[in-house]
Amino acid sequence: MTNLAINGGKPEIKESLTKYRSMSKAEKDAVCKVIDSDCLSGFYGSWEEGFLGGPRIQEFEKEWSKKFGVKYTVSVNSNTSGLYCAMGAVGISPGDEVIVPCTTMSATSMAPLIYGGIPVFADIEDETYCLDKKKVESLITEKTKAIIAVNLFGHPAELKNLRRLADDNNIFLIEDNAQSPLAKESDCYTGTIGHIGVFSLNYHKHVHTGEGGMCVTNNELLAKRLQMIRNHAEAIVGPANVNDLNNMIGFNYRMTEMSAAVGLVQLENIEKHVSERKYFAEQLTSKTKDIDFLHTPKVRDGCNHVYYNWALKYDSEKLGVSRDMFVKALNHEGLPCSSGYVEPLYMLPTFQNRKAFGNSGYPFTLTNRKYYYNMCPIGQKLFENEFIMFEMCAYKLSDNLIDKFGNIFHKIIDNKKDLIDFEKETSN
């Protein structure tokens, strides 16, 4: 039996993994054409032709709408900016409550605060790790204005059920679809089921423009509000004859022509990039699904998972080794995974200290909501004890490499006793 690398043996994978590169000569040529055109941005912050951006921005938005089957697409410079625009577009005002998942990237919970809204944290499901619809339903009050559902790790939330819940309560459903382009629920793309969907084009996503984002909607009024907030709304509400001035103070969230040019090429190849990640994740699952101390990613019936992250749930009692030691063993063998994901967001100092803007604690002075440890026990448990992450979009993968990943898990099983003994020795 070969010793584990953490205990002096040779690692299964000796070389560092190569980063996944989705850029090609086509993206380079597209950027060069923009530079040659001498139009790096076509935006102008007034109510005239340049208000909607240059030719590539408008072409990119048109093609994105066509690909995802929506009426309107509004490009922005990040998914975070898109979430801020979405909060403004649906009219979040001081004291309004927005239900968000406890487990997600921090921008999701920060978005309501920009307009004085109050994030209300709901727990997540124990198997697909998205918003628990029943928990959301129990949190709705007369102050609730919106729900932000995150399609986490590439898997859809219960979007159609959440949309019905939102419609029944006359509130908005916003999808944070940063990690899930081309994921589906019942043949509908994620990002297109809520009132507004927000996509990420950050460099470590399936497809990217370096930094960037896209907001989609089928509502004309919401689309116009997104466009205005993106581009200095306060300067154009007069010429545009806008009567509802709520949240019509704008930002500069504009995407460049170069980013749009890259995005157009990436969009042409989105099926290839996403299907590769999905293929390798499913191969890895097939090699590990029978390991009793691992819960490999579950795909809910009627859904398509696109695997931004390959998220494992680990049972330390069944193996007899702590999660951190197990992850260290995986790392030493050459599999770059990590313990946990993010700590539940209500544990951030902003919420624990009830401070948002300045010393006043605004907008938390508008609510009696409290944020305390373990308020979302599923999210807390997954973070502290169970989650193990491998970033599917981070590395160049192959069948041979996936075989080696599978071998690593089984090598640890074969050396279970040695690893248990090693942890006892090193913890003394």
Side-chain angles (χ1 to χ4, degrees):
M1 190 188 323
T2 306
N3 288 337
L4 293 172
I6 196 171
N7 200 19
K10 294 181 179 180
E12 180 73 16
I13 300 171
K14 301 177 181 63
E15 65 281 357
S16 297
L17 300 192
T18 303
K19 294 292 185 181
Y20 179 60
R21 178 179 172 84
S22 65
M23 294 291 121
S24 68
K25 185 176 182 298
E27 283 89 350
K28 182 177 180 180
D29 290 344
V31 169
C32 288
K33 286 181 181 179
V34 172
I35 294 173
D36 290 342
S37 76
D38 202 32
C39 177
L40 303 190
S41 175
F43 278 107
Y44 208 79
S46 61
W47 190 244
E48 56 185 35
E49 185 178 354
F51 179 70
L52 295 178
R56 285 167 181 83
I57 286 290
Q58 295 189 43
E59 182 185 1
F60 189 23
E61 292 175 346
K62 179 181 177 181
E63 292 302 313
W64 194 275
S65 290
K66 187 185 301 182
K67 176 64 183 177
F68 288 94
V70 293
K71 292 182 180 179
Y72 308 102
T73 296
V74 179
S75 60
V76 285
N77 57 14
S78 72
N79 185 87
T80 299
S81 298
L83 290 171
Y84 293 176
C85 286
M87 292 291 95
V90 302
I92 298 302
S93 299
D96 287 341
E97 293 183 345
V98 180
I99 298 173
V100 300
C102 64
T103 301
T104 178
M105 194 269 184
S106 61
T108 311
S109 64
M110 294 298 107
L113 294 174
I114 298 301
Y115 293 94
I118 307 300
V120 176
F121 291 100
D123 213 342
I124 57 175
E125 302 168 326
D126 195 30
E127 293 191 317
T128 61
Y129 317 128
C130 298
L131 266 180
D132 185 324
K133 186 249 183 184
K134 292 181 180 178
K135 298 292 175 56
V136 172
E137 193 168 10
S138 71
L139 292 168
I140 293 176
T141 72
E142 68 280 357
K143 295 181 179 180
T144 306
K145 189 67 173 283
I147 302 163
I148 303 180
V150 179
N151 302 311
L152 197 66
F153 306 148
H155 192 284
E158 288 190 64
L159 297 171
K160 294 198 172 183
N161 288 336
L162 288 167
R163 176 62 191 259
R164 280 191 288 269
L165 180 63
D167 290 343
D168 289 346
N169 287 275
N170 196 32
I171 60 180
F172 292 95
L173 175 63
I174 311 300
E175 290 184 63
D176 182 342
N177 200 48
Q179 300 181 0
S180 302
L182 299 189
K184 287 184 177 181
E185 183 189 45
S186 302
D187 294 326
C188 292
Y189 285 124
T190 57
T192 71
I193 298 170
H195 296 87
I196 298 174
V198 188
F199 295 72
S200 175
L201 293 170
N202 174 261
Y203 78 94
H204 53 75
K205 300 302 192 299
H206 293 78
V207 295
H208 73 96
T209 59
E211 297 287 351
M214 302 296 252
C215 301
V216 303
T217 184
N218 288 309
N219 183 293
E220 182 180 11
L221 177 60
L222 290 178
K224 287 182 177 178
R225 289 176 65 82
L226 289 166
Q227 290 166 342
M228 288 187 281
I229 293 168
R230 167 183 69 179
N231 188 9
H232 301 290
E234 71 286 345
I236 56 87
V237 290
N241 296 315
V242 174
N243 294 318
D244 181 5
L245 299 181
N246 182 37
N247 292 342
M248 286 293 98
I249 295 174
F251 300 88
N252 181 349
Y253 289 153
R254 307 177 301 202
M255 181 184 284
T256 69
E257 288 286 283
M258 289 187 291
S259 292
V262 170
L264 279 163
V265 179
Q266 290 272 294
L267 184 60
E268 288 179 5
N269 297 301
I270 191 171
E271 298 278 356
K272 172 182 177 293
H273 292 305
V274 172
S275 64
E276 279 186 359
R277 302 302 100 186
K278 181 180 177 183
Y279 167 77
F280 288 124
E282 290 175 346
Q283 290 296 104
L284 189 50
T285 293
S286 71
K287 296 180 184 303
T288 54
K289 64 182 179 181
D290 295 327
I291 299 175
D292 67 349
F293 56 83
L294 297 179
H295 180 100
T296 52
K298 179 179 179 180
V299 182
R300 186 159 41 87
D301 289 345
C303 291
N304 175 41
H305 197 320
V306 296
Y307 298 99
Y308 171 72
N309 268 332
W310 188 67
L312 290 173
K313 192 163 64 172
Y314 174 70
D315 188 334
S316 60
E317 291 186 4
K318 286 185 177 179
L319 185 63
V321 173
S322 70
R323 181 187 58 179
D324 287 349
M325 180 56 67
F326 180 67
V327 169
K328 285 180 183 178
L330 293 172
N331 293 164
H332 276 76
E333 294 295 337
L335 176 51
C337 55
S338 59
S339 296
Y341 178 52
V342 295
E343 188 173 16
L345 296 180
Y346 50 76
M347 295 303 296
L348 289 173
T350 291
F351 298 108
Q352 289 298 299
N353 298 325
R354 292 174 59 84
K355 297 288 185 184
F357 308 125
N359 292 325
S360 67
Y362 177 85
F364 296 123
T365 52
L366 301 174
T367 181
N368 292 322
R369 292 280 180 181
K370 299 293 191 297
Y371 305 100
Y372 51 89
Y373 174 76
N374 211 34
M375 64 184 294
C376 295
I378 299 299
Q380 199 80 47
K381 176 187 67 169
L382 288 165
F383 166 71
E384 292 180 353
N385 301 312
E386 297 181 351
F387 265 155
I388 296 174
M389 297 289 152
F390 175 68
E391 294 183 61
M392 295 302 302
C393 291
Y395 303 101
K396 182 179 179 180
L397 302 173
S398 65
D399 287 328
N400 181 55
L401 194 57
I402 294 296
D403 285 341
K404 290 183 178 181
F405 287 169
N407 292 342
I408 288 171
F409 286 97
H410 291 285
K411 181 179 178 182
I412 291 174
I413 294 171
D414 291 341
N415 289 270
K416 170 183 174 179
K417 184 179 182 304
D418 288 347
L419 187 58
I420 292 171
D421 292 342
F422 180 78
E423 180 169 33
K424 289 178 180 178
E425 291 171 6
T426 55
S427 63
N428 291 335

